[in-house]
Amino acid sequence: YNLTKESGKLGTSPKTAFRQNSKYSMVDDHHHTPYNREKLPAYTDHDGFLLPKGFPVESFASGKTYQAQDNDLFIVTYPKCGTTWTQHITYLILNNGVPLSPDQRLDVVWPHLEEVGADFIADKATVLENHRLIKTHLPYEFTPNNDSKAKYIFVARNPKDCVVSFYHHTVGFPRHYDFAEGTFDTYFNLFLNGKVDSGDYFDFLRKWLDRKDDPNMLFLKYEEGRKDTRKYILQIAEFVDTDMYPARLLADDEKILKLVLEHSSLEAMKQHPRRWCSDRTGYKPFIRKGSTGGWDELLTEDQEELIQKRLDEVFTKEELEFLGEQYHS
């Protein structure tokens, strides 16, 4: 791949052109332009859907054929939008506030549908308190939803924080992306054009936002969860089983709720890094900041404007206000 302006004219560099508010597109060719020397992440292209290198294509194809069951409980996110944190909170709710043991891995207890495939989910996925635990980063149109009573917890996170976190994630898994030396400006361009795993952030959010009022869906906002985690936990508990979990969490002077709050804090999660992902020795930890509004560590003002332009194109003013202050200027 190399980078060109949509007009076909070449700028001096991606960073210079970003300052000119240029819009980019990805083109696949072998011309020897300066852009060919840009380090790009290594993806597997499966029918136009980009996968991290090493993800089994067969499992991805199989995962899309999975037939949702009435007791399935899906956590659905675009990557780096609070997935692991929300999975952990939900697991704690279902497990009386008791966390995973140090030798357990969340991706085993709560498997990733498109990474393991339909047969694994049907036969081996954890069923906890009659809830089959499934994680997915699939767009709405690929997510199993066949008129079952399955439940879907969707978490949205603003794209400015998301792209920064996704960049660190991509750099930190060289065996999946081979991007340890990649620059943020290069990655930002890919993200803005939907040329990363899980596709276009804006289209992904657009389609899931359209389903926010479905009776079997809970639409959560990561920023609100970080601001008021107690409320976030109780929203999940109410959604999973309104007759069981809220009362259980609040009983005995909120004993279990306090445990969920304690074990889902970022400080607690950072103490057990191998619960959440494979080894990242030498790179920034998987549980990094979990903050909101910290995008200015890497984003320039011009890049912020490009993201805001896309948001304004895809969502109405009312929808952006619903999503939160981080989504509108």
Side-chain angles (χ1 to χ4, degrees), residues 50-318:
L50 300 181
L51 304 173
K53 185 176 66 173
F55 268 45
V57 170
E58 299 80 7
S59 295
F60 176 82
S62 169
K64 293 196 298 179
T65 70
Y66 177 71
Q67 298 295 301
Q69 305 299 306
D70 286 351
N71 65 329
D72 288 348
L73 179 59
F74 287 83
I75 300 288
V76 186
T77 67
Y78 191 83
K80 310 312 297 178
C81 288
T83 322
T84 299
W85 186 57
T86 306
Q87 285 178 272
H88 184 45
I89 285 174
T90 308
Y91 178 86
L92 289 166
I93 292 170
L94 297 175
N95 204 42
N96 295 314
V98 179
L100 298 169
S101 62
D103 61 342
Q104 284 183 297
R105 285 271 301 272
L106 186 65
D107 61 351
V108 176
V109 174
W110 201 309
H112 185 184
L113 171 62
E114 54 268 35
E115 188 176 358
V116 300
D119 290 343
F120 184 98
I121 294 296
D123 299 336
K124 298 180 181 179
T126 303
V127 178
L128 185 58
E129 298 231 307
N130 199 38
H131 298 287
R132 182 179 292 101
L133 309 182
I134 307 171
K135 160 193 162 181
T136 185
H137 294 312
L138 287 174
Y140 177 77
E141 63 269 26
F142 291 156
T143 301
N145 189 358
N146 47 289
D147 297 322
S148 71
K149 296 179 181 178
K151 294 188 174 185
Y152 301 80
I153 299 174
F154 181 86
V155 188
R157 188 185 191 188
N158 77 82
K160 301 166 192 174
D161 280 327
C162 175
V163 67
V164 170
S165 182
F166 210 172
Y167 165 71
H168 287 301
H169 172 91
T170 304
V171 167
F173 282 109
R175 69 187 181 92
H176 287 311
Y177 299 102
D178 189 23
F179 195 61
E181 306 302 320
T183 68
F184 178 72
D185 282 347
T186 296
Y187 188 81
F188 175 83
N189 176 68
L190 297 172
F191 178 89
L192 194 67
N193 286 276
K195 301 299 184 181
V196 295
D197 37 328
S198 292
D200 186 283
Y201 165 95
F202 305 93
D203 183 63
F204 190 104
L205 179 56
R206 167 74 275 162
K207 291 175 179 175
W208 279 103
L209 182 63
D210 287 340
R211 315 304 306 186
K212 70 179 178 63
D213 295 322
D214 288 1
N216 64 336
M217 180 176 172
L218 175 64
F219 190 99
L220 294 172
K221 305 165 200 174
Y222 180 78
E223 292 79 13
E224 290 187 357
R226 299 304 310 162
K227 184 177 180 180
D228 188 345
T229 304
R230 184 181 188 277
K231 179 181 178 181
Y232 192 83
I233 292 168
L234 291 173
Q235 282 180 289
I236 295 172
E238 179 84 17
F239 174 72
V240 175
D241 191 329
T242 186
D243 295 325
M244 180 184 298
Y245 295 111
R248 182 187 291 182
L249 263 62
L250 297 172
D252 298 326
D253 192 30
E254 302 186 353
K255 177 181 177 181
I256 294 178
L257 177 57
K258 290 174 182 175
L259 288 172
V260 177
L261 283 164
E262 175 188 345
H263 291 301
S264 64
S265 70
L266 290 181
E267 292 73 20
M269 293 179 69
K270 286 179 180 180
Q271 293 176 18
H272 303 283
R274 293 304 298 275
R275 283 181 180 170
W276 322 119
C277 73
S278 54
D279 184 38
R280 286 167 64 98
T281 302
Y283 298 95
K284 291 189 177 183
F286 185 78
I287 304 296
R288 197 173 60 90
K289 288 186 177 181
S291 60
T292 62
W295 58 75
D296 58 358
E297 68 168 279
L298 287 174
L299 275 180
T300 67
E301 290 184 7
D302 287 345
Q303 289 168 343
E304 286 186 48
E305 289 176 7
L306 287 169
I307 286 181
Q308 191 60 55
K309 183 172 183 281
R310 288 286 284 125
L311 287 169
D312 292 340
E313 290 170 350
V314 175
F315 303 95
T316 67
K317 179 181 178 181
E318 291 74 21

Side-chain angles (χ1 to χ4, degrees), residues 35-54:
Y35 299 112
N36 284 84
R37 293 191 290 271
E38 285 287 325
K39 178 65 177 177
L40 300 176
Y43 298 113
T44 299
D45 187 329
H46 177 61
D47 295 335
F49 197 93
L50 300 181
L51 304 173
K53 185 176 66 173

